[in-house]
């Protein structure tokens, strides 16, 4: 084990000397007299990302050479104390190894499990003390990123939110009829003799809006999932929850910004998710234009359906595509 860590540390230092800076996987701190004030940022970033390595006692500005007078024992203890300032507490492997005549502190920070993220500096809280590794630096996570990590602790239920102002009239009768026919055929003992509204309530296509006191039991309104799957025109309530198709010249999006190049074509696709899937596939197949296209319609349909089904439907994301 000792030989493995020694070889890894040597490998990382040789790489950083070659490229001249830290890497996505490794952060170097001098820490000659005291632990770096940003060490907690790095502990957070590696814990929230894919893990990484920290080396103390090495000078980046002097070509990743050992720091003269570095106190490895004191800095190893200081790093351990910094780990205690995190929530959840970080438990890295911290070792001291000789390198070019000086002892360095070498630590491996493992990625935390999704249910434990975000890892943050306790004193700053999750929205102020959570970081992520980008390139060779630690970047403070946005509130949006932190909220998405917190959501991973439990299954998000934003798709069950009631759509304010929407009613049963905003559902497409044909799509509703198709859904009812299918579930009655698949589960006749459960749904065959049930009223359509009751079935839609059970499937959580509809919910009672208890905030409307003028209606006994609350007015029936579509849920976000119900509106997107069965709505006539969901974009009436969420204008950005559609599909934008752009056909670029060449093979790179950057090509459109060079010289006089422009988009070959563009189109906005709206409607319920089933309608948008059909329209998007039809449009893309027309632009591909080949009798034997490289992308079969079935593959495009699957990719588009997955994108629409699994996109972020949290309130923070409903204003963007």
């Amino acid at each position: 084990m000792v030989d493995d860590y020694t070889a890894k540390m040597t490998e990382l230092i040789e790489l950083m000397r070659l490229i001249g800076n830290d890497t996505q996987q490794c952060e170097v701190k001098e820490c000659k007299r005291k632990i770096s004030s940003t060490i907690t940022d790095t502990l957070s970033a590696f814990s929230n990302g894919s893990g990484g390595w920290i080396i103390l006692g090495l000078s980046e500005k002097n070509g990743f050479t050992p720091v003269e007078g570095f106190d490895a024992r004191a800095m190893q203890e200081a790093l351990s104390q910094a780990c205690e300032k995190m929530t959840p507490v970080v438990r890295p492997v911290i070792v001291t190894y000789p390198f070019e005549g000086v002892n360095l502190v070498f630590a491996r920070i493992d990625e935390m499990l999704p249910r434990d993220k975000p890892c943050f500096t306790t004193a700053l809280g999750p929205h102020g003390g959570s970081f992520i590794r980008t390139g060779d630096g630690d970047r403070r996570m946005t509130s949006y990123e932190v909220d998405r990590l917190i959501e991973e602790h439990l299954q998000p239920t934003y798709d069950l939110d009631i759509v304010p102002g929407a009613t049963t009239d905003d559902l497409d009768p044909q799509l509703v009829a198709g859904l009812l026919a299918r579930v009655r055929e698949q589960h006749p003992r459960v749904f065959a003799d049930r009223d359509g509204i009751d079935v839609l309530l059970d499937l959580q296509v509809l919910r009672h809006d208890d905030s409307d006191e003028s209606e006994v039991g609350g007015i029936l309104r579509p849920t976000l999932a119900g509106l997107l799957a069965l709505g006539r025109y969901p974009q009436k309530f969420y204008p950005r929850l559609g599909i934008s198709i752009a056909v670029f010249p060449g093979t790179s999006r950057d090509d459109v910004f060079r010289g006089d190049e422009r988009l070959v074509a563009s189109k906005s696709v709206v409607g319920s998710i089933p309608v948008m899937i059909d329209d998007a596939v039809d449009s893309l197949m027309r632009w591909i234009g080949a009798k034997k296209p490289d992308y079969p319609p079935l593959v495009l349909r699957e990719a588009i359906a997955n994108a629409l089904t699994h996109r972020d439907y949290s309130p923070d994301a409903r204003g963007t595509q």
Side-chain angles (χ1 to χ4, degrees), residues 21 58 71 151 188 203 207 232 243:
N21 54 258
L58 210 60
D71 189 338
E151 283 174 9
L203 296 176
R207 288 178 59 192
R232 297 175 186 268
I243 298 176

Side-chain angles (χ1 to χ4, degrees), residues 129-141:
S130 296
F131 289 78
I132 194 70
R133 191 76 173 173
T134 302
D136 63 344
D138 306 318
R139 177 180 60 78
R140 193 184 306 274
M141 299 180 76

Side-chain angles (χ1 to χ4, degrees), residues 155-162 204 223-226 228 313 318:
Q155 177 67 32
T157 57
Y158 294 124
D159 52 345
L160 298 182
D161 287 354
I162 289 174
Q204 302 195 82
T223 60
L224 177 61
L228 291 173
Y313 287 109
R318 293 174 194 168

Side-chain angles (χ1 to χ4, degrees), residues 163-167 170 222 227 233-241 318:
V163 179
T167 69
D170 291 299
L227 185 69
Y233 181 51
Q235 291 73 26
K236 170 183 175 182
F237 302 94
Y238 302 105
R240 303 295 288 177
L241 296 188
R318 293 174 194 168

